[in-house]
Amino acid sequence: MNAVLKLRPRDDDDQPFLTHLFALTVSERLRLWHWDAGEAQKIVDQQFHAHSEHYRQLDEEKSDVIIELDDQSVGRMLWFHNRDEIRLADISLLPECRGRGIGTAAIETLKSFSVQGKRPLRLHVEKFSNAVRLYLRQGFYLLEDRETHLYLEWHGEGMTTKKTFVTA
């Protein structure tokens, strides 16, 4: 039997899952498991609030979805879109769900939106994130290498970009 992967709009009932997913992601990135549990939780809560407020205040069209596998929440994807681009702002998966093609399938969905709308798909990622390999396998190109982040773009065949590609 094949697993069923779907994207659905997030709702208020997803808050506990999103808080848990964010805590796992931030704990890995900041290596918080070495910290006192109380202090680590404060950092996670502050980061979660800051990210949520930042995304809420942006005056752009956005899609915020829960990634489900067989009706179980396994991740989140958030992207912004306007007439010029689709910009992936966040994609997070539960650790036990990584490396199974779920992130690839979710990104493929955005790539199809990109082609349909004739708009490039852009993102930025921490330079030393494991996700860089995923994006490069997905055909993203380096637009700009800033000290801490890489700015990447993907565009379908026949689409043009206004940016100049930079080689690594």
Side-chain angles (χ1 to χ4, degrees):
M1 184 170 152
N2 289 335
V4 177
L5 183 69
K6 73 178 182 180
L7 305 178
R8 66 160 176 81
R10 75 167 275 209
D11 59 39
D12 292 339
D13 293 339
D14 294 313
Q15 197 63 31
F17 170 74
L18 291 171
T19 303
H20 174 70
L21 178 63
F22 187 84
L24 291 172
T25 304
V26 168
S27 294
E28 287 176 341
R29 196 176 82 236
L30 299 179
R31 294 174 173 73
L32 292 178
W33 52 82
H34 296 294
W35 292 48
D36 167 81
E39 288 299 312
Q41 189 60 50
K42 283 182 194 175
I43 291 170
V44 168
D45 291 344
Q46 289 171 346
Q47 290 280 314
F48 185 75
H49 178 73
H51 278 208
S52 297
E53 271 303 297
H54 172 71
Y55 291 142
R56 188 185 66 75
Q57 291 179 6
L58 291 175
D59 188 28
E60 296 182 67
E61 287 291 320
K62 63 183 163 234
S63 296
D64 193 355
V65 301
I66 299 298
I67 302 169
E68 290 187 338
L69 182 65
D70 293 334
D71 295 321
Q72 293 292 324
S73 298
V74 298
R76 174 207 197 179
M77 189 163 60
L78 171 70
W79 67 93
F80 296 92
H81 41 96
N82 58 43
R83 64 183 181 88
D84 297 322
E85 70 176 355
I86 297 172
R87 187 169 13 95
L88 177 59
D90 183 29
I91 183 167
S92 303
L93 295 172
L94 293 172
E96 63 270 20
C97 296
R98 296 178 193 153
R100 296 172 49 192
I102 297 168
T104 296
I107 292 168
E108 287 293 332
T109 299
L110 283 185
K111 287 166 73 174
S112 70
F113 295 160
S114 170
V115 169
Q116 290 169 8
K118 296 183 171 84
R119 298 173 287 176
L121 174 55
R122 297 183 176 130
L123 60 89
H124 69 269
V125 60
E126 290 177 344
K127 199 172 193 173
F128 299 106
S129 169
N130 291 332
V132 171
R133 290 190 316 267
L134 169 66
Y135 298 133
L136 294 177
R137 279 194 318 266
Q138 286 286 311
F140 282 81
Y141 297 91
L142 178 67
L143 289 176
E144 189 173 350
D145 182 344
R146 296 193 181 168
E147 288 186 34
T148 59
H149 288 78
L150 300 174
Y151 287 72
L152 305 176
E153 178 177 277
W154 179 90
H155 58 89
E157 192 173 317
M159 294 171 53
T160 59
T161 179
K162 296 177 184 174
K163 302 259 183 172
T164 303
F165 292 124
V166 178
T167 57

